[in-house]
Amino acid sequence: MDLPSEPHRAPHPAEPPAERAPEALLADVALGDEDAFELLYARIAGPVFGLAVRILRDRDLAQDVAQEVLGEVWRLAARFDPERGTAMGWVLTMAHRRAVDRVRREEVRTATISKEAATWVAADHDVVVDTLERQWDAALVRRAMGTLTTIQREAIELAFFRGYTHQQVSAALDVPLGTAKTRIRDGLIRLRDAMGVEQ
């Protein structure tokens, strides 16, 4: 996240920083106090990640959601109203909403992949692709796709489920052509391994 170059740091002589309430820290974060944000971050990062993992059941997705929420805490701290609840409640409500939204997006993405996989005809004649065309059912494809990293999954979805050329994948992901090819190749290798396809 982009932090201000000269954040406000309010003194708190009567209250040791480590013992300050999250509500007080959040009030200072709203003023751009980076030190207060670091203290608040240390208190809320674990609970936010834990909640995201429980909802998403995927540590990588939960990590993404946690980072999004922590970024929102920095940006939206001024919107916190202590009369409506605790700081932790406000943060965890935000995390819950983000995680549920991500679950819905993943369900839509998975349904789309399953639908496209059922009618998928790839132009590439790689053994992995040929095996997919002949043998893999949508559920098996979905499980195998789940073993890919996020960047590999994006490249594979564009190249094989949407029919993009390597150049189009490169443009869509805003990466060099060689990087796009590497992500596709690595993704296919991991898919092959996940499916137990012999070389």
Side-chain angles (χ1 to χ4, degrees), residues 44-59 62-63 65-66 70 92 95-96 99:
I44 65 176
V48 166
F49 177 70
L51 176 62
V53 167
R54 285 195 298 276
I55 293 172
L56 290 160
R57 300 186 183 281
D58 181 298
R59 293 183 69 84
Q63 184 65 39
V65 166
L70 293 166
L92 291 180
H96 184 270

Side-chain angles (χ1 to χ4, degrees), residues 152 156 166 178 180-190:
Q152 289 171 344
I156 292 294
H166 288 152
K181 289 181 177 180
T182 297
R183 290 182 183 180
I184 293 168
R185 184 197 67 222
D186 291 349
L188 287 174
I189 290 171
R190 183 172 281 195

